[in-house]
Amino acid sequence: MAKYFFAPIEGKSSKYHWAVVILSLLVFSWFIATAIRFKLGFWITGLNHSITWGGSEVLFVLFVGLSAGSLLISALGSIFGQTEYKVLSRVAALNSVLFMSAALMMLISSWGRPDRILLPFYNINPRSMLSLNAFVYSSYIAVGIIYLWAQLKNSEKWSRVLAIAAVCTAIFVHSGTGFIFGVINGREMYFSSLTPLAFVIAALSSGTALAMIILHYSFKATHRKIDKRFFLQLSRVMLGLIMFVMFIVSIEHLIHMYAPEHYEGEKYVLFSGSFFTYVFWIQLYLIGFLSPIFILLYPRTRSRLGWILFASGLHVFGIVGERILFILPGQFLHIPLLPGYEFSSAAYGDGATINYFPMFTAWVQYIGVIAFVALAYLLLIKWLPLLPQEAKLIKPKPPEDLLIEESGEVAEGDTNIVAGSAEAEAPA
Amino acid sequence: MGNDRLDRRTFLKMGGLIAAAGVTIPAASQIFAPSGLASSGKELSAATDVSWTMVADVSKCSPDCTICEDACADENNLPRFPGKLSRFDPYWLRIIEAKKELSGVDNKALSLPVMCMMCDKPPCTHVCPTKASFIRPDGLVMIDEHRCIGCRYCVIACPYRVRFMIFKDTPDDQWTNRKVPKLMRGVASKCTFCVHRIDDGKLPRCVVDCPENALTFGDRNDPETEVAQLLEPGTAQALRPNLRVGPNVFYLGL
């Protein structure tokens, strides 16, 4: 079994303390903003009768997605045979739980009645994906916490079992989140069977991207060492995932353009010159897909850590755009109540231009939830031994039959398929 | 250090136990709970062999007439906020101006009263995570506002955009009809076909107040009713029939 030396960070610097204080204040502001929103009602959020799902829901799906990449990294070591990744498994599992918690914070604080948080557990509607997801989300967090506990206990057996359980739950979580939106058949922009798949893949790609950024800055800020080759390997995985998600997004839009009932929506997003057109072509395609793909393919940039992290940041930003496109355009598009007719109403804004911009209270909530993730992360890596003193990518010892007799070198590309455990000595 | 380890262990155990309990106890309680829709006494007593239907003859509707809209607001205590806040006014029934998109045909604007369609297969009840949206035995789609969590899933899922969030509390001076509860802030709401009046054997208020008799309401399962006779020729149209959600509001004169 691999032996790594995990140690809590010292957390004695003034920077750390200031960060904790500022983040605590932001989290407290979230609490106040949520209480005000609950007390006064939705009207102070920027939502209106046309746009009833807004920024909170965008961040909810973004956070659910971001938890996926961390879990992927965490599970690489336990169940996918990449034993050298066990060194990152604890901190990745922590991030996974934190992002999922943040997603639920965002979701529940956006409800009109967050005080009724337990109702979905008591009044289950088996036909509602949101109802089923109440169990899936809470199970995911529970499994994640127990998985983390098993790792802290150094229980190899339980870590493996729980990693499998966590990955299985994660598949339900991410496809289930896609289902919430994909099943809305009354609004053509939402209705798609590709949504759950697109959601899962985008979750993995953006989650991996953000996990790399967090890992890099965690090690750098605590003056610990992490092997650059982790990032090189993960960037290859991320590259494949980005290409896959771009493929799915592209075919979904192309197929929709062939269907008359979807065409209006596609035209609105892709070619109308609206806000969403810029989000789609610039934020998602140019910044989120093409730029990272170029950086990760171009020989002079693909092996440089700075460029890899930059590409990761670009992709996360692009996926924010993808989540915006996921939630908002379906509400901006007017519902065709009767084919062949144009509708308008004086009282209710049918047929009129729809505007939405989150108000101050909503922004405080968004920032507060992000601050919660950062604060919980900073406190927990100080409290628990989650970060390794040093993360080295140690290739597993190859079995005899993989060695090339003449040169004594290991065959290229074969090292990673060895399922044996890496014996990494604890650094002094 | 020893104390730290103990605290850490206790914390993790407690965290795990709480999380596990949070998932299993409610689930178990649901499994052993009596089945069926939670319902009020009225709901259980509602007849099951009726099919409440509204027919709107838009050829009788005058342009700029909002009497049904106002009657609905008055009957159901729908608030009307001043100034810019008026954009948060809920409209359980609203008048929509409809114009044919094709040029070269009679392009006269029609006025359509649009309210909850009381669908036979309502997407709103399918997606509601707490069963706050439910179907009464007499087919009326209702919202239990005490069970609604304000997630807005039903508002998004409604194919007719006739569900509304209550953005703001109704001022007390606008709570004029005490037979209808004041709207609850933060939950979904919609037209009920004036269920309180139906249960008292009365017609919905919009039907009663319409000066042109453009709205007709009744049980279409009963062939003697005016509604059944209006629907008999098969010329009435439903909105978005392609979705096959079974709307129970029909339009004549489109």
Side-chain angles (χ1 to χ4, degrees):
Chain A
M1 186 184 143
K3 293 169 193 157
Y4 303 107
F5 186 66
F6 293 91
I9 65 166
E10 285 189 0
K12 287 179 181 169
S13 69
S14 59
K15 274 184 189 172
Y16 180 88
H17 288 127
W18 274 112
V20 168
V21 169
I22 292 167
L23 291 170
S24 301
L25 287 174
L26 290 173
V27 174
F28 183 67
S29 320
W30 167 84
F31 184 77
I32 299 292
T34 304
I36 291 172
R37 176 180 179 151
F38 173 57
K39 187 69 188 164
L40 296 183
F42 279 113
W43 69 280
I44 58 163
T45 60
L47 295 172
N48 52 55
H49 282 311
S50 298
I51 308 300
T52 49
W53 275 351
S56 300
E57 284 68 28
V58 170
L59 285 182
F60 161 67
V61 292
L62 180 74
F63 287 140
V64 170
L66 291 176
S67 75
S70 293
L71 187 71
L72 175 74
I73 293 173
S74 185
L76 276 173
S78 298
I79 55 177
F80 294 120
Q82 306 294 315
T83 47
E84 62 273 25
Y85 278 85
K86 281 185 181 171
V87 71
L88 302 176
S89 184
R90 291 183 182 187
V91 69
L94 171 71
N95 281 332
S96 178
V97 172
L98 289 181
F99 279 118
M100 195 64 219
S101 308
L104 292 187
M105 266 175 84
M106 196 73 260
L107 179 72
I108 293 161
S109 65
S110 78
W111 288 353
R113 297 302 303 252
D115 54 321
R116 297 176 180 172
I117 183 173
L118 289 178
L119 274 177
F121 293 104
Y122 287 92
N123 298 301
I124 302 160
N125 179 3
R127 292 191 70 164
S128 168
M129 278 315 298
L130 199 54
S131 181
L132 300 178
N133 279 348
F135 289 91
V136 175
Y137 292 153
S138 45
S139 305
Y140 184 75
I141 291 179
V143 169
I145 290 171
I146 301 168
Y147 174 45
L148 198 56
W149 169 78
Q151 291 187 71
L152 288 169
K153 283 283 183 187
N154 287 317
S155 168
E156 185 76 10
K157 180 184 153 195
W158 281 106
S159 294
R160 188 174 162 80
V161 169
L162 288 160
I164 294 169
V167 168
C168 292
T169 320
I171 292 167
F172 282 105
V173 164
H174 300 293
S175 51
T177 306
F179 264 105
I180 292 175
F181 306 95
V183 298
I184 301 172
N185 66 337
R187 297 187 188 238
E188 284 78 9
M189 291 290 287
Y190 286 110
F191 191 54
S192 168
S193 53
L194 275 177
T195 306
L197 180 64
F199 188 86
V200 172
I201 308 301
L204 288 171
S205 64
S206 60
T208 308
L210 189 66
M212 281 200 282
I213 296 170
I214 293 173
L215 283 173
H216 172 74
Y217 286 105
S218 298
F219 278 82
K220 191 179 175 188
T222 53
H223 306 292
R224 300 181 186 205
K225 286 179 186 169
I226 181 165
D227 199 326
K228 183 186 158 188
R229 286 176 296 174
F230 278 117
F231 296 103
L232 291 177
Q233 285 191 356
L234 286 172
S235 71
R236 298 287 102 189
V237 174
M238 187 176 78
L239 174 64
L241 290 168
I242 294 174
M243 287 176 164
F244 194 15
V245 74
M246 188 171 96
F247 171 70
I248 296 171
V249 170
S250 304
I251 59 166
E252 185 173 25
H253 285 285
L254 275 173
I255 289 172
H256 276 177
M257 285 176 75
Y258 276 83
E261 72 267 32
H262 286 285
Y263 182 69
E264 280 302 312
E266 292 302 327
K267 198 170 76 175
Y268 174 64
V269 170
L270 303 182
F271 308 118
S272 70
S274 65
F275 167 72
F276 299 114
T277 307
Y278 293 103
V279 171
F280 183 85
W281 290 112
I282 296 177
Q283 186 176 357
L284 179 59
Y285 256 75
L286 185 64
I287 299 176
F289 289 155
L290 297 177
S291 303
I293 288 174
F294 177 78
I295 291 170
L296 297 176
L297 284 176
Y298 189 54
R300 294 181 68 174
T301 52
R302 69 184 179 197
S303 303
R304 295 193 176 179
L305 182 59
W307 280 105
I308 290 173
L309 294 173
F310 182 57
S312 303
L314 291 179
H315 182 60
V316 173
F317 179 68
I319 292 299
V320 174
E322 200 263 349
R323 300 317 192 201
I324 289 173
L325 295 168
F326 198 53
I327 301 288
L328 291 176
Q331 299 170 74
F332 273 78
L333 207 65
H334 295 296
I335 288 178
L337 285 174
L338 197 64
Y341 282 84
E342 280 178 351
F343 289 93
S344 63
S345 70
Y348 199 56
D350 294 273
T353 309
I354 296 168
N355 293 311
Y356 166 69
F357 193 77
M359 285 167 70
F360 179 71
T361 327
W363 284 108
V364 173
Q365 283 188 307
Y366 306 158
I367 295 166
V369 170
I370 295 167
F372 161 78
V373 177
L375 178 67
Y377 182 75
L378 283 184
L379 292 177
L380 286 170
I381 59 171
K382 183 181 178 182
W383 189 27
L384 298 168
L386 296 165
L387 268 185
Q389 285 286 28
E390 185 178 9
K392 280 181 84 172
L393 186 69
I394 301 161
K395 288 183 180 176
K397 193 178 173 186
E400 294 293 322
D401 56 351
L402 283 178
L403 294 175
I404 299 168
E405 283 184 14
E406 291 84 359
S407 64
E409 289 175 358
V410 178
E412 183 73 23
D414 281 338
T415 50
N416 287 339
I417 61 167
V418 180
S421 63
E423 284 291 329
E425 291 300 324
Chain B
M1 191 66 190
N3 282 338
D4 285 348
R5 287 173 67 98
L6 188 66
D7 288 343
R8 188 184 308 146
R9 185 175 299 138
T10 312
F11 167 79
L12 289 169
K13 280 180 181 170
M14 290 299 290
L17 277 173
I18 291 168
V23 174
T24 51
I25 293 173
S29 69
Q30 178 68 22
I31 289 164
F32 296 111
S35 60
L37 277 175
S39 47
S40 66
K42 270 185 180 176
E43 184 193 321
L44 287 173
S45 64
T48 55
D49 55 348
V50 296
S51 182
W52 297 122
T53 302
M54 183 83 75
V55 177
D57 187 346
V58 297
S59 62
K60 292 181 181 173
C61 286
S62 329
D64 304 326
C65 173
T66 57
I67 289 175
C68 54
E69 210 174 68
D70 299 337
C72 174
D74 182 50
E75 178 69 27
N76 295 293
N77 307 312
L78 304 183
R80 293 292 176 258
F81 300 112
K84 283 186 175 178
L85 289 175
S86 65
R87 68 180 191 275
F88 300 118
D89 294 351
Y91 284 87
W92 285 6
L93 182 154
R94 68 185 192 276
I95 300 295
I96 284 181
E97 298 290 314
K99 271 188 180 178
K100 281 188 176 166
E101 285 172 344
L102 297 170
S103 57
V105 293
D106 177 20
N107 214 14
K108 192 182 131 193
L110 299 170
S111 294
L112 272 77
V114 176
M115 70 287 282
C116 176
M117 303 286 151
M118 299 290 174
C119 308
D120 294 333
K121 296 173 188 168
C124 53
T125 63
H126 296 167
V127 300
C128 178
T130 58
K131 290 197 282 197
S133 288
F134 62 95
I135 309 173
R136 292 202 339 169
D138 60 356
L140 293 183
V141 179
M142 302 295 294
I143 299 173
D144 181 349
E145 61 178 17
H146 295 280
R147 193 183 280 184
C148 176
I149 55 174
C151 68
R152 287 101 76 208
Y153 201 0
C154 61
V155 179
I156 300 280
C158 174
Y160 301 101
R161 204 166 156 249
V162 289
R163 287 190 159 230
F164 309 93
M165 287 311 296
I166 300 304
F167 281 78
K168 201 170 162 18
D169 272 328
T170 308
D172 275 338
D173 60 345
Q174 293 194 37
W175 188 19
T176 50
N177 182 5
R178 298 278 165 160
K179 284 185 176 177
V180 178
K182 195 163 79 165
L183 293 177
M184 193 179 278
R185 177 191 73 240
V187 302
S189 75
K190 67 166 194 71
C191 161
T192 62
F193 273 2
C194 288
V195 67
H196 55 286
R197 293 175 63 93
I198 295 175
D199 287 343
D200 285 347
K202 296 177 186 169
L203 289 169
R205 178 77 181 275
C206 55
V207 177
V208 173
D209 280 22
C210 178
E212 306 291 340
N213 291 325
L215 292 167
T216 312
F217 180 81
D219 172 18
R220 78 165 181 271
N221 286 348
D222 179 358
E224 299 298 317
T225 58
E226 193 182 348
V227 158
Q229 287 161 11
L230 284 171
L231 294 176
E232 179 64 26
T235 52
Q237 277 182 272
L239 300 181
R240 307 193 78 185
N242 57 314
L243 295 177
R244 295 170 185 262
V245 291
N248 284 304
V249 177
F250 296 91
Y251 295 88
L252 291 168
L254 283 175

